[in-house]
Amino acid sequence: MNKFEPKQSQPKTDKDEGWIVQVYGSNRRLLCVLEPSHGWMFVMGVGVGLLLAIFWINISRYSPPVEPTPPGEAPKLQVD
């Protein structure tokens, strides 16, 4: 190789291509792959779960209390 020849250029990486996590086992086999869509779905699931928990707490706070049945007595059956 001549010292005046240009070097091979490195492939340029796009900074907007995201991230990927690959998890390997001890025997060098690929166990799972985590992509950006997995992260966004996890964040969305946490958000929906939080909203559901807040909604459930507010509903239970304003619902009428259930009357306890005395011991030895069968609970009343509700018929529609």
Side-chain angles (χ1 to χ4, degrees):
M1 180 171 166
N2 188 355
K3 66 179 181 177
F4 296 111
E5 288 181 16
K7 289 184 178 181
Q8 295 273 338
S9 64
Q10 294 279 336
K12 297 191 180 201
T13 58
D14 186 16
K15 294 186 189 227
D16 294 331
E17 66 187 28
W19 51 268
I20 190 167
V21 176
Q22 297 174 341
V23 180
Y24 291 91
S26 61
N27 57 357
R28 295 185 181 180
R29 289 186 60 193
L30 183 64
L31 296 177
C32 68
V33 177
L34 301 174
E35 296 180 353
S37 62
H38 297 127
W40 285 115
M41 290 303 290
F42 177 76
V43 169
M44 287 175 53
V46 168
V48 169
L50 183 63
L51 288 174
L52 185 63
I54 291 170
F55 180 73
W56 193 276
I57 289 170
N58 285 335
I59 291 293
S60 67
R61 185 180 298 167
Y62 297 112
S63 65
V66 178
E67 294 180 18
T69 58
E73 191 176 312
K76 298 177 185 176
L77 296 176
Q78 294 180 349
V79 179
D80 291 335

